[in-house]
């Protein structure tokens, strides 16, 4: 008997095309078929959830833009003027924007889900970004949001994030969890120049030195993370 994986591969290979011609699309197709355990996969009511929040570390000049840009970006999403809005319309994907902790009070919108923890994290250069209780609340609210969307016959969800300063959090979390030098993890984010990049590395290096080594991923998240992460 052939395995389901072999049957899927056989079906893909029998399409009228050279073997492997569709590249990553073939790999993705096979993955979806394996997840659904079928040769006839269906993507039902696909939804993208974009979580938005502010970061206290922006006070230390790690971004090319001030934190005030985060709510401006969210408003652009809610007004359906961002690239993700166009992408979702083109592909019949539902879009939800989650206010996980933006330093702004948004008016109600059909696209907006209010799950605000508080108006941005603390500056982890000086203190932990959030408390363990706040981190637990992030996971609780996120689980509820996903469950609610899945209950509407949705079987595929994509995730996104919005928040000035979040590449700094991503870099330092990557450095801590993967045991990599911070210099190998930091990028230009929103497009900082060479001098700003040097400053960003210096700030994140100091932030890492100012905290004990996190004992696990949860502690890394509460120390350096963002509510949207």
């Amino acid at each position: 008997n052939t395995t389901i994986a072999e049957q899927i591969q056989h079906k893909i290979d029998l399409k009228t095309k050279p073997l492997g011609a569709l590249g990553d699309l073939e790999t993705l197709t096979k993955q979806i078929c394996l997840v659904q355990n079928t040769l006839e996969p269906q993507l039902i009511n696909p939804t993208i959830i974009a979580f938005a929040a502010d970061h206290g570390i922006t006070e230390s000049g790690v971004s090319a833009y001030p934190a005030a840009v985060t709510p401006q970006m969210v408003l652009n999403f809610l007004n359906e003027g961002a690239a993700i809005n166009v992408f979702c319309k083109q592909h019949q994907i539902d879009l939800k924007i989650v206010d996980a902790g933006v330093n702004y009070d948004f008016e109600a919108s059909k696209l907006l889900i209010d799950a605000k923890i508080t108006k941005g994290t603390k500056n982890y250069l000086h203190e932990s970004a959030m408390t363990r209780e706040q981190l637990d609340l992030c996971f609780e609210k996120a689980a509820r949001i996903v469950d609610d969307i899945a209950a509407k016959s949705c079987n595929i969800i994509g995730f996104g994030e919005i928040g000035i300063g979040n590449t700094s959090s991503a870099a330092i979390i990557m450095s801590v969890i993967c045991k990599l030098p911070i210099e190998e993890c930091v990028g230009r984010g929103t497009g900082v120049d060479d001098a700003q990049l040097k400053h960003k590395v210096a700030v994140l290096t100091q932030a890492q030195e100012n905290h004990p080594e996190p004992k696990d991923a949860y502690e890394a998240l509460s120390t350096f993370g963002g509510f949207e992460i």
Side-chain angles (χ1 to χ4, degrees):
N1 290 339
T2 56
T3 65
I4 183 73
E6 290 170 330
Q7 292 173 46
I8 294 164
Q9 192 62 56
H10 183 66
K11 185 172 182 180
I12 291 170
D13 291 342
L14 281 184
K15 299 297 180 188
T16 312
K17 60 168 186 61
L19 287 177
L22 297 180
D24 288 346
L25 282 177
E26 296 191 13
T27 306
L28 181 60
T29 299
K30 187 173 182 179
Q31 182 182 356
I32 293 169
C33 288
L34 285 169
V35 167
Q36 298 188 5
N37 196 35
T38 179
L39 297 181
E40 303 290 338
Q42 284 187 301
L43 304 184
I44 304 166
N45 298 327
T47 302
I48 288 178
I49 315 172
F51 293 79
D54 276 305
H55 290 254
I57 193 66
T58 55
E59 298 165 4
S60 299
V62 293
S63 174
Y65 298 97
V69 172
T70 301
Q72 292 174 15
M73 291 162 57
V74 173
L75 288 168
N76 191 28
F77 280 60
L78 298 178
N79 291 325
E80 304 190 40
I84 190 66
N85 299 99
V86 177
F87 177 85
C88 287
K89 280 184 180 177
Q90 284 181 329
H91 300 283
Q92 292 81 56
I93 298 170
D94 194 21
L95 175 65
K96 295 296 180 186
I97 311 299
V98 177
D99 176 7
V102 181
N103 187 18
Y104 188 87
D105 295 312
F106 297 100
E107 293 181 8
S109 163
K110 61 181 172 61
L111 295 183
L112 184 69
I113 297 173
D114 181 8
K116 197 191 294 285
I117 305 299
T118 189
K119 290 185 173 181
T121 54
K122 303 289 187 184
N123 185 347
Y124 54 76
L125 181 60
H126 309 298
E127 57 190 310
S128 288
M130 67 187 82
T131 65
R132 182 60 182 257
E133 290 72 26
Q134 287 175 324
L135 179 62
D136 289 342
L137 195 55
C138 286
F139 283 107
E140 288 169 21
K141 286 177 179 278
R144 204 173 306 128
I145 289 166
V146 169
D147 286 345
D148 288 348
I149 290 172
K152 297 170 183 170
S153 300
C154 168
N155 75 345
I156 181 162
I157 293 174
F159 298 97
E161 41 63 43
I162 312 153
I164 296 298
N166 61 15
T167 63
S168 290
S169 272
I172 203 165
I173 290 167
M174 177 183 176
S175 172
V176 168
I177 291 177
C178 299
K179 310 293 184 190
L180 292 169
I182 191 71
E183 295 84 0
E184 292 183 20
C185 304
V186 177
R188 294 185 184 272
T190 45
V192 296
D193 60 26
D194 290 346
Q196 290 170 317
L197 181 61
K198 187 176 179 181
H199 175 72
K200 184 177 182 179
V201 171
V203 168
L204 298 184
T205 299
Q206 188 61 56
Q208 216 167 352
E209 290 173 358
N210 288 350
H211 295 275
E213 182 78 12
K215 64 179 183 291
D216 55 26
Y218 259 72
E219 194 169 288
L221 281 171
S222 62
T223 305
F224 302 115
F227 299 133
E228 86 289 16
I229 294 175

